[in-house]
Amino acid sequence: MREPAELRRQRILSVVESRGAVRITVLAAELDVSVVTVRRDVEELARSGRLRRGHGVARPVRDPVDPAPADRTLRDRGPSPDTGAVALVVPERHSYLYETLHGARSALEESGIRIALHIAPPSPGAERALVERALADGVRGLLIAPRWPGLHAEERDHGWLADVGVPTVLMERRPRPGSPLHALDSVCSDHWYGTHLAVEHLVALGHRRIVLAARDDSPTARSVRAAFAGIAAARPEVTDWTVVLSSPLAAADGRGAAVDLAALLRERAATAAVLHGDVDALMLVQRLAENGVEVPRDCSVVAYDDGVAALGSPPLTAVAPPKTEIGRAAAELLLHRLSGAVGAGGPVRRTELLPTLEVRGSTRALEPATE
């Protein structure tokens, strides 16, 4: 016999009121009904004011840890529109980190946590001003990916960011060892491993002379450059390697030298290149074609980013950092802190996720005759 809708809704209310925010999918599994049915019940209960509905979440009208309604009314009269929210701070015009943002957003919304998004312009100190504003609005926690175009910019943020006063997780940023931020929770890609995947792939195809054309205006860029230099120098199969800027504007000070990659490849007799990031990679491949260098016939190319690498002609083999998963893992770590399960004295967590290599049409085995 089918359970009456009102009885099922009473069961939903009992679960939500006893636990606080509960995911719709969890309710459906526990009640042994479809997600569609539970979502419809939750919508009806929300319309009647018996619970609150979030993105994929059912929440009680008054959270179990909230003060009494009268006290809450007084509290809510304050000027803090973001009370209970989590601040998310990312740089302006940074598509790489926007994917990370979406991963964090999904995890926070599933837990019923409101997001206060702040986009930092490229001016010095922009992140600090935004974080101070968010703190004044009463946010509970902070997810942040500082721009840090150079080491000086990172050092400038050490003091204030280490003493924010709310649980904080760095996204796709790994503080330097021994710095004031070393003891801050962080989640990032293992860029050494991503660079290793690129070099290993090219070496396995027979390439022995490899160029890295990379940016030098972000922590990711610096990690890739350092990793490539160390890996290439340690591989006896790599007989010649070098690192150059991927574009004239790819340096932290904006004064990079122009790059003639076609001339450099000819000069060093290089047969492969690793290019960071995707847009610079696609533009460099176009310039190679204009100079009579065909990819992958004359030069195998691996891009580092994999945001739009697959749209190239040919589609570019690319290292794909787990950007969305980085954001989700960072948000889940922050939620863990906010839940009190770890506590103020819990160990700091420095999490690294491994990139993958997406093999496409821009790399191929080196023909022995061209060695």
Side-chain angles (χ1 to χ4, degrees):
M1 181 176 176
R2 180 177 297 178
E3 180 181 36
E6 186 55 34
L7 179 57
R8 186 177 60 246
R9 290 167 186 170
Q10 285 294 339
R11 292 172 62 198
I12 291 173
L13 281 174
S14 297
V15 173
V16 172
E17 288 172 356
S18 63
R19 299 186 200 170
V22 183
R23 294 183 185 181
I24 300 296
T25 53
V26 172
L27 287 169
E30 293 190 7
L31 273 60
D32 195 24
V33 295
S34 71
V35 171
V36 172
T37 297
V38 173
R39 186 178 292 117
R40 188 163 51 239
D41 287 341
V42 168
E43 289 174 353
E44 179 58 36
L45 290 167
R47 272 195 295 269
S48 62
R50 297 158 75 185
L51 56 68
R52 291 180 292 161
R53 182 170 63 90
H55 184 76
V57 175
R59 306 179 68 186
V61 174
R62 180 169 66 88
D63 291 336
V65 296
D66 267 3
D71 294 336
R72 192 174 71 253
T73 300
L74 290 174
R75 181 198 67 191
D76 290 345
R77 288 175 184 169
S80 300
D82 289 338
T83 297
V86 162
L88 235 169
V89 180
V90 295
E92 177 186 21
R93 297 192 184 95
H94 205 305
S95 59
Y96 182 109
L97 288 172
Y98 286 173
E99 290 188 50
T100 303
L101 181 158
H102 290 309
R105 173 187 173 184
S106 64
L108 293 170
E109 289 185 342
E110 287 169 9
S111 296
I113 302 293
R114 199 173 74 77
I115 300 167
L117 177 62
H118 298 271
I119 307 296
S123 55
E127 284 94 349
R128 181 175 186 175
L130 293 175
V131 170
E132 289 176 347
R133 185 184 310 163
L135 293 172
D137 286 340
V139 295
R140 301 169 56 197
L142 172 65
L143 290 172
I144 184 169
R147 188 181 300 274
W148 287 349
L151 295 180
H152 177 69
E154 179 180 341
E155 292 171 352
R156 188 175 57 235
D157 288 343
H158 281 171
W160 70 267
L161 191 50
D163 193 29
V164 167
V166 298
T168 299
V169 179
L170 290 171
M171 298 188 303
E172 201 60 292
R173 298 291 182 257
R174 175 70 76 232
R176 283 183 293 155
S179 74
L181 301 184
H182 193 132
L184 203 63
D185 286 324
S186 61
V187 180
C188 72
S189 301
D190 184 342
H191 294 300
W192 183 95
Y193 184 74
T195 308
H196 161 76
L197 289 177
V199 175
E200 185 72 19
H201 175 64
L202 293 171
V203 168
L205 292 174
H207 297 281
R208 302 292 180 258
R209 308 176 74 85
I210 306 172
V211 171
L212 172 70
R215 304 189 66 83
D216 191 22
D217 58 357
S218 74
T220 296
R222 291 190 289 276
S223 294
V224 170
R225 294 167 70 91
F228 180 83
I231 292 168
R235 292 295 298 259
E237 304 96 327
V238 180
T239 58
D240 185 75
W241 61 273
T242 190
V243 177
V244 297
L245 283 175
S246 57
S247 80
L249 301 178
D253 59 9
R255 298 196 299 268
V259 177
D260 186 344
L261 188 58
L264 181 66
L265 292 171
R266 287 193 296 269
E267 175 188 335
R268 304 190 77 100
T271 60
V274 181
L275 307 176
H276 171 259
D278 275 9
V279 172
D280 289 340
L282 292 169
M283 294 180 67
L284 283 169
V285 169
Q286 290 174 13
R287 289 195 208 114
L288 289 177
E290 292 166 1
N291 285 272
V293 179
E294 184 178 326
V295 174
R297 185 196 66 190
D298 305 315
C299 179
S300 285
V301 169
V302 178
Y304 199 104
D305 188 359
D306 202 33
V308 293
L311 304 179
S313 180
L316 302 184
T317 294
V319 175
K323 291 166 279 191
T324 301
E325 291 80 2
I326 290 290
R328 172 171 282 277
E332 289 174 347
L333 176 53
L334 182 62
L335 290 169
H336 195 42
R337 291 290 186 199
L338 293 173
S339 73
V342 177
V348 171
R349 302 189 178 189
R350 295 165 63 83
T351 304
E352 287 189 330
L353 303 184
L354 300 186
T356 58
L357 182 70
E358 303 298 326
V359 178
R360 303 190 180 99
S362 65
T363 54
R364 73 171 190 173
L366 184 66
E367 296 180 6
T370 64
E371 180 67 275

